[in-house]
Amino acid sequence: MPAPSFRDYLYPPDHPRVALIRGLDARSYAEAAKGDSFAGPMIEGWQKLYPEPFTGVTNDGVLREELYPLTDALPGEEAPTSDMVATAEKLLTLTSQEQRDRLGYPVDAHEWQSWANPEFMQHDTGLRLDEVDPTLRDAALALVESSLSEQGYALVRNLMRINGFLGELVELPELMNEYSYNFALYGVPSESAPWGWQLFGHHVALNCLVAGTQLVLSPVFLGAEPDVIDAGPHKGVEVFKDRIARARELMASLPDAVRREALSYPEMVDPAMPEGRVHPGDERHVAGCFQDNRIIPYEGILLSSMPPASLALIDRLVDDSIAYLPAGPRAARRREIHKHYAETWFSWIGGWQSDEAFYFRIQSPVVILELDHHTGVFLSNDTPAPFHMHTVVRTPNGNDYGRALVRQLAKDKK
């Protein structure tokens, strides 16, 4: 039986889901969405969370200290700081004073926490890439490119292109296009002092801080609806295929008794789930936008209960989930994650065979990796489908946004 196609779930052009918002851009839709039965309660809930001062995600409400030492990166693990500084300075030369004032924030600004992944713009942070001159837009993306691996930048740009493809499919190009994203700078570009940048919008959110030779890219949200481009100039683009295949392979590789322990719920919307376990926007995700201080208890099984073949698949899932990092910081992050394998948990919701939708989480004191298949937002599927997924990466215990490093630097100056 062939896998379901996203094209089977396209709304007709006159359907109210798309017809009533046709012509709206992200700003006007942000206002309209407040009264929407789907988006309104979600926005209201996020508005209550946003003002909270940053602490960091934990598993039990107690912040573990000394997980993120402020030291020079090991040889071979250094951040591409010089290239990042050069591209950031070029970007700044292209901005007017008014644009520079909108673009920049202090390195410890609360606005870091304003990122979100929906198509509407809940917080107008920084500059909007589809509203600036293409030269300035390209300079902002050059900074993103200088901070990521080649593979990571290609994925980000493909997700942005899928967003534009979706906007064309449903005839909402003002709302969803290749450049409908906010971009901001934090701090002053420097070879030694901490600074960073932020890119966020529909299905793409990156928060990057560099402090000398250390680089932190977290939180990261990457997703797609649909997961392929099957027409137009970017035909052939596909995303997350390998990660999803490895996740299914992992579940199939587990002994039956171990798999049962890993399975938190057999159904994506399970009758045994407590109230609120499925969020209207995040669905099964627990570490998405505005969840900077959430308590997320460990679930499932410890990695130590897995046979070697399954553990090797965990390694591949971890590597694929952090592949957006440039080579040096990626090696440092991999080493940091592996160091805590003895206290790393794996949990699963849903099926794992054929094209069944699923959710998984890998969680330790230093990382949360999530992947969740979702129902349609601009497609009409009312159950989770393999062509719409969200992924999240967090750095628990206070180092999202590189905040643990920034706080240590601030203490050292006193």
Side-chain angles (χ1 to χ4, degrees):
M1 185 175 179
S5 168
F6 75 87
R7 286 195 175 270
D8 296 333
Y9 298 94
L10 285 173
Y11 286 106
D14 60 350
H15 192 282
R17 175 67 186 102
V18 290
L20 292 178
I21 58 176
R22 189 157 291 128
L24 300 184
D25 61 13
R27 297 178 192 281
S28 52
Y29 183 52
E31 287 303 311
K34 292 177 183 178
D36 183 81
S37 59
F38 167 72
M42 184 167 57
I43 293 169
E44 185 178 352
W46 285 342
Q47 285 176 332
K48 294 175 182 177
L49 292 172
Y50 175 62
E52 294 178 358
F54 177 83
T55 300
V57 170
T58 64
N59 69 290
D60 60 2
V62 179
L63 199 67
R64 283 181 58 168
E65 304 288 348
E66 301 179 359
L67 288 171
Y68 309 105
L70 180 62
T71 58
D72 290 336
L74 295 177
E77 295 185 355
E78 299 93 345
T81 311
S82 295
D83 289 345
M84 292 173 64
V85 170
T87 52
E89 289 178 342
K90 180 178 179 180
L91 166 64
L92 289 171
T93 65
L94 298 172
T95 58
S96 66
Q97 185 60 54
E98 180 183 359
Q99 288 173 323
R100 201 171 300 128
D101 291 342
R102 287 188 55 81
L103 180 67
Y105 300 85
V107 72
D108 58 353
H110 189 75
E111 281 80 3
W112 275 114
Q113 296 170 234
S114 68
W115 71 272
N117 54 278
E119 69 287 346
F120 55 81
M121 186 170 53
Q122 186 161 348
H123 294 278
D124 188 11
T125 306
L127 297 175
R128 188 81 173 170
L129 293 186
D130 60 359
E131 296 177 346
V132 300
D133 182 272
T135 303
L136 178 54
R137 179 195 71 208
D138 292 345
L141 290 174
L143 175 53
V144 175
E145 183 176 17
S146 72
S147 311
L148 303 179
S149 66
E150 182 178 351
Q151 178 183 350
Y153 185 67
L155 175 59
V156 168
R157 292 294 288 116
N158 280 336
L159 296 178
M160 295 169 70
R161 293 179 183 117
I162 287 175
N163 189 53
F165 176 63
L166 177 62
E168 293 170 1
L169 281 174
V170 299
E171 300 179 22
L172 297 171
E174 296 89 352
L175 179 60
M176 294 181 291
N177 61 72
E178 186 177 344
Y179 302 109
S180 53
Y181 296 87
N182 284 57
F183 184 83
L185 283 178
Y186 293 87
V188 178
S190 168
E191 298 273 354
S192 55
W195 65 281
W197 56 263
Q198 178 183 66
L199 175 73
F200 72 88
H202 193 211
H203 283 146
V204 173
L206 300 164
N207 296 279
C208 178
L209 181 125
V210 63
T213 55
Q214 284 203 53
L215 182 143
V216 177
L217 248 167
S218 179
V220 170
F221 181 107
L222 301 173
E225 182 192 28
D227 63 339
V228 298
I229 297 178
D230 65 357
H234 301 297
K235 180 179 179 179
V237 164
E238 296 182 337
V239 291
F240 301 117
K241 298 293 189 181
D242 185 67
R243 194 178 311 181
I244 288 168
R246 295 295 79 74
R248 296 188 195 281
E249 187 180 352
L250 169 62
M251 276 297 277
S253 75
L254 294 174
D256 290 346
V258 176
R259 188 190 303 117
R260 283 194 295 270
E261 289 294 317
L263 191 63
S264 298
Y265 302 98
E267 298 180 28
M268 292 292 271
V269 180
D270 198 287
M273 287 176 170
E275 184 179 355
R277 180 61 186 87
V278 178
H279 183 272
D282 286 325
E283 298 200 15
R284 282 143 298 277
H285 273 302
V286 290
C289 59
F290 305 107
Q291 305 300 322
D292 293 305
N293 302 326
R294 186 164 182 168
I295 298 172
I296 304 174
Y298 294 131
E299 288 185 279
I301 57 172
L302 281 164
L303 298 193
S304 58
S305 67
M306 293 185 177
S310 302
L311 199 56
L313 289 166
I314 287 284
D315 289 342
R316 292 182 66 177
L317 283 175
V318 168
D319 285 347
D320 191 55
S321 298
I322 63 171
Y324 53 79
L325 287 164
R330 185 166 67 251
R333 185 67 164 139
R334 183 187 299 114
R335 180 172 51 79
E336 179 180 67
I337 293 169
H338 284 200
K339 179 181 177 182
H340 292 273
Y341 261 20
E343 46 184 338
T344 300
W345 294 75
F346 171 78
S347 59
W348 188 276
I349 297 173
W352 62 89
Q353 298 174 330
S354 184
D355 292 301
E356 292 178 302
F358 64 79
Y359 161 90
F360 77 78
R361 181 165 83 249
I362 298 170
Q363 181 179 355
S364 82
V366 296
V367 74
I368 294 176
L369 306 174
E370 295 185 286
L371 185 148
D372 190 25
H373 285 125
H374 277 225
T375 55
V377 175
F378 288 98
L379 298 173
S380 65
N381 55 295
D382 57 6
T383 58
F387 48 75
H388 184 188
M389 75 289 295
H390 291 180
T391 74
V392 173
V393 180
R394 284 275 187 175
T395 307
N397 289 295
N399 209 29
D400 279 333
Y401 317 104
R403 195 64 60 86
L405 303 183
V406 173
R407 284 176 172 169
Q408 289 174 71
L409 283 166
K411 288 180 180 178
D412 290 348
K413 290 181 179 179
K414 292 182 179 179

